[in-house]
Amino acid sequence: MCSIETEKRLSKLFMILAEGERTVEISRKVLSELKEFEPFTIFRNLDGERKNKIDSYNIINFLQNKGIYVSDQEAQLIILFYDQDFDCFLSYSEFINLIQSESSVNSSNKIYNKNEISFNVDYSLVKLLEKEVELARKFLYGLKDLKCRYDFNIHNIYHSIKSYSTITPDSIRTFLKKNEISFLDSDIKFIIKRLDLNKDGKIDLCEFHSLFGFPECSFCC
């Protein structure tokens, strides 16, 4: 079992994820609704080495060229938030989850022949990635605060939240209520969206372990 203080810190970390995902989704929507929005063109522009996948270096390089600092750890965490197979890269299908809004009517399956992204797309992409960096920074700070607790143990924390074999929206809702954290139903959705890497509607131990064990045991699953 975890102490009350440890559970409080974990609850605050959940809310950092909720608020971060809320703001990122707004930026995704702005980007996705641009008439020039072409996901594959964006993907190819970030993938400068033409390796058909994007890594933390590509994110660092893109943002630094825009005068925006992002640390290696922050860039790695951004990758991890969308890396469904834990290979430290984002494939095109994984990258789509980073840049495309849920409400977008644009098709992510189209392959375009354009080589350059427009000024508007470039500007909105920078704003989106800035929000990702802000979230990564806040998450890492909160995670450090959680890990300094004497009773921090990933497996114990996971089992204190989960219902049956996995963490579900209801189990997160129950956990936050237990710790007297105010939240909206949309917050639960955003928390799940951030932690549910394989998009099955729940958080298994591998997903939880990779994020809350970051960076010591990231990509270990």
Side-chain angles (χ1 to χ4, degrees):
M1 294 295 291
C2 299
S3 65
I4 294 174
E5 178 60 26
T6 298
E7 289 195 355
K8 289 283 188 184
R9 294 188 190 192
L10 176 59
S11 297
K12 290 177 181 178
L13 198 50
F14 277 146
M15 297 309 294
I16 286 173
L17 289 173
E19 183 55 31
E21 175 58 28
R22 188 189 308 278
T23 58
V24 168
E25 178 58 22
I26 291 171
S27 292
R28 284 195 203 105
K29 195 171 189 301
V30 171
L31 174 60
S32 298
E33 290 181 351
L34 292 172
K35 64 180 180 180
E36 315 99 307
F37 176 66
E38 298 176 348
F40 190 69
T41 302
I42 297 172
F43 180 79
R44 290 206 328 178
N45 270 264
L46 265 70
D47 176 25
E49 304 92 344
R50 294 294 185 265
K51 57 187 180 296
N52 293 320
K53 51 191 176 183
I54 288 171
D55 57 24
S56 57
Y57 169 78
N58 296 132
I59 291 177
I60 292 170
N61 187 54
F62 177 79
L63 289 176
Q64 285 186 344
N65 285 338
K66 309 297 180 181
I68 299 166
Y69 173 76
V70 54
S71 71
D72 290 344
Q73 201 171 79
E74 290 161 355
Q76 288 171 22
L77 181 56
I78 292 170
I79 294 292
L80 182 56
F81 275 132
Y82 300 94
D83 185 12
Q84 296 175 330
D85 57 6
F86 306 103
D87 67 350
C88 306
F89 296 95
L90 294 184
S91 65
Y92 177 61
S93 62
E94 292 168 335
F95 182 70
I96 287 295
N97 293 323
L98 191 164
I99 65 168
Q100 184 160 280
S101 169
E102 289 182 339
S103 61
S104 172
V105 297
N106 290 282
S107 172
S108 61
N109 296 318
K110 280 188 174 182
I111 304 298
Y112 299 90
N113 294 318
K114 290 188 177 181
N115 294 320
E116 300 295 331
I117 57 180
S118 71
F119 173 84
N120 288 337
V121 168
D122 184 70
Y123 178 82
S124 296
L125 177 61
V126 170
K127 292 301 179 183
L128 168 59
L129 290 177
E130 279 187 304
K131 295 299 182 184
E132 286 285 355
V133 172
E134 288 175 15
L135 173 54
R137 200 163 286 159
K138 289 178 181 177
F139 182 82
L140 287 169
Y141 182 84
L143 186 60
K144 182 178 179 181
D145 190 49
L146 175 64
K147 284 187 171 184
C148 74
R149 292 290 299 163
Y150 71 91
D151 59 341
F152 174 79
N153 179 284
I154 294 175
H155 288 263
N156 288 347
I157 289 175
Y158 180 82
H159 288 288
S160 70
I161 306 169
K162 77 178 182 69
S163 55
Y164 301 104
S165 59
T166 59
I167 293 176
T168 64
D170 282 342
S171 59
I172 291 179
R173 187 177 288 107
T174 299
F175 182 77
L176 293 177
K177 284 181 178 178
K178 173 188 174 184
N179 288 284
E180 301 178 335
I181 301 294
S182 298
F183 62 90
L184 303 172
D185 284 343
S186 59
D187 291 327
I188 304 300
K189 172 188 172 184
F190 289 136
I191 293 167
I192 290 290
K193 185 177 178 181
R194 271 287 151 176
L195 298 177
D196 176 23
L197 299 177
N198 64 9
K199 308 302 176 189
D200 65 352
K202 54 194 176 183
I203 303 161
D204 60 32
L205 180 58
C206 184
E207 291 167 327
F208 191 83
H209 198 274
S210 67
L211 287 167
F212 285 86
F214 183 86
E216 291 87 353
C217 53
S218 60
F219 313 111
C220 63
C221 297

